[in-house]
Amino acid sequence: MDKEYVGFAALPNQLHRKSVKKGFDFTLMVAGESGLGKSTLINSLFLTNLYEDRQVPEASARLTQTLTIERRGVEIEEGGIKVKLTLVDTPGFGDSVDCSDCWLPVVHFIEEQFEQYLRDESGLNRKNIQDSRVHCCLYFISPFGRGLRPLDVAFLRAVHEKVNIIPVIGKADALMPKETQALKQKIREQLKEEEINIYQFPECDSDEDEDFKRQDAEMKGSIPFAVVGSCEVVRDGGTRPVRGRRYSWGTVEVENPHHCDFLNLRRMLVQTHLQDLKEVTHDLLYEGYRARCLQSLARPGARDRASRSKLSRQSATEIPLPMLPLAETEKLIREKDEELRRMQEMLEKMQAQMQQSQAQGEQSDAL
Amino acid sequence: MTGPRVGLLCLGPMEPLRRPLSPCSSRPSSPRSPPCETSVSVGIEAVLDQLKIKAMKMGFEFNIMVVGQSGLGKSTMVNTLFKSKVWKSSLPGLATPTPQTLQLHSVTHVIEEKGVKLKLTVTDTPGFGDQINNDKCWDPILGYINEQYERYLQEEILITRQRHIPDTRVHCCVYFVPPTGHCLRPLDIEFLQRLCRTVNVVPVIARADSLTIEEREAFRSRKCFDEDINDRILNSKIRERIPFAVVGADREHLVNGRCVLGRKTKWGIVEVENMAHCEFPLLRDLLIRSHLQDLKDITHNVHYENYRVVRLNESHLLPRGPGWVNLAPASTQQLTTPAPLKVRRRVQEDPKDEF
């Protein structure tokens, strides 16, 4: 019997051990208008208080606020497995009276991370590549609107080819069940109409059991997820304590699947599809960016090599030469421009001074 | 013109009319018993009855405007306030798409209660604050309000005036603030600052069933309302609670054997008229039961007069002579009416709407 047993059935265990030792890292972005419960949801999802030091700006300060990108990191450990979670927040999105192009800083940020990775990957020392690419973007849709607003569509259009998007309806306890269904339906239709590619769940294998398939189908059917977040534990008399929001007319339970889709979202994001999100980011989105980037740098030889290397990823021998990354040449050009401008200004000043002293000299002559 | 307040006859507690104190103050004076010392009552009290009868014959007018982003429950709120299908509210996702530019849409109904007729005009503003660039989205609204003042002014300066000038001026503008739970957004602040000088503005927190009681209080304490807005509203007790956290509903549900208007969710039923759940009763009282006439008076005595003074000053004319003086048409500088102003008016006469 020992002859027929090679022993590679134990490979998954090796993988498991190595992963546990290495730990996981995951970058999650949350975007959406303010007041949709983003911070509360993140705290509920990961059972931490990532937003302890946050100060909500006063109304008068908001008048001049622009979009900023904030990064917060936290290490979560559970069952011996460490996850280094980086959260990217976009305060100020959609807040001003004129929100034209307010998504550009976000797009720029995402591309910057790709660019950083591209540079690291093409560099000489590749031992410690930090992966700061955004693996997933939770986009919060308002429950009060009639589906996606023009701003939502514009943002999703700008980022859907660059990051995995999971649309989420925030503060879903404002909606009655029928309204939730109608809103979800409308959003799905709009996404299809506008041809926005949200993150697609992979199909489950045919040999999975019925229960899993049913759960999977149910999860896919409830996108966009209608979620409620809460960090407070409500103790309702005789019943067990639950996380929820207490109203005068009842208590919403965050982890009750009849009340909201929070459990589905958590299961999907953390328990079942975290690795898949990272893989899609790397294999699909990053590769797309890389191909576009290399093609645009476009020396004819480089273009051929780039396209060939994209098709045959296996033949790693054909590595394109590490060309000077785009950003650095641009930076140099910009610096030179600045210098030129400064010199021009100085020249003008000197000329003006000379003219002044000439004029003064003439005056004193006349006197 | 503006006599003593005769509010719309209603079920709520009415302010007691002032009665002359009887000189025999040990006994409380009852409405019908004559004072001790005078033998013949003059009968002044009957004047109030005359006014009431006249008012009921003439009917009342009230023009209200609702402003806010789409989906904040404006139509439902109006229906709930007047307990009739003034608007057909629509669920999200159904036929009404959000319009690309701001439009103003008016509907007039005549509703009746206990013999008192109210001609109610509701102006809706679909498309407000829904675009990506909402700069100057308040201009059409300001233009509409000023246009109504202009119309009234033109009627007023005629030599032969109508007996009863049709009053299309906006008496009250209800502004719906989304329940973010943080504080007012820049768009809200811009709008409120601009409009509170021209019209009575009542801000409300819409869809307040997504905020707990603590969150509502925090939101209220963080608001940055100028006292200007609140000065217009007389009752200080109500003033403290502004903005009201309201919920609207047009379906009825059975709660404890009673039929109430509310929203039914899996964790409970939000009752619209329950003060513990939301402040809709306060809004209703403010708008209808106690302060409707106040709102009209302030519109007439304060806002309209301001407008009139500005207009008369700029045209340097006073009504004189045989023919009526045509005021110079309003310069575009004063009235901000940009080109895409669309006003549709539908007048529907419903003789009797059940309550």
Side-chain angles (χ1 to χ4, degrees), chain B residues 4 269 295:
Chain B
I269 299 184
L295 288 166

Side-chain angles (χ1 to χ4, degrees), chain A residues 112-149:
Chain A
E112 228 175 50
Q113 309 313 307
F114 278 156
E115 195 188 298
Q116 176 74 46
Y117 195 83
L118 178 59
R119 236 181 296 163
D120 288 346
E121 207 188 33
S122 326
L124 291 170
N125 185 354
R126 303 203 293 184
K127 274 212 183 106
N128 285 325
I129 300 184
Q130 294 291 340
D131 185 5
S132 61
R133 297 171 294 186
V134 181
H135 298 123
C136 176
C137 174
L138 283 181
Y139 188 71
F140 280 70
I141 301 167
S142 168
F144 308 120
R146 302 229 169 91
L148 293 175
R149 297 223 182 106

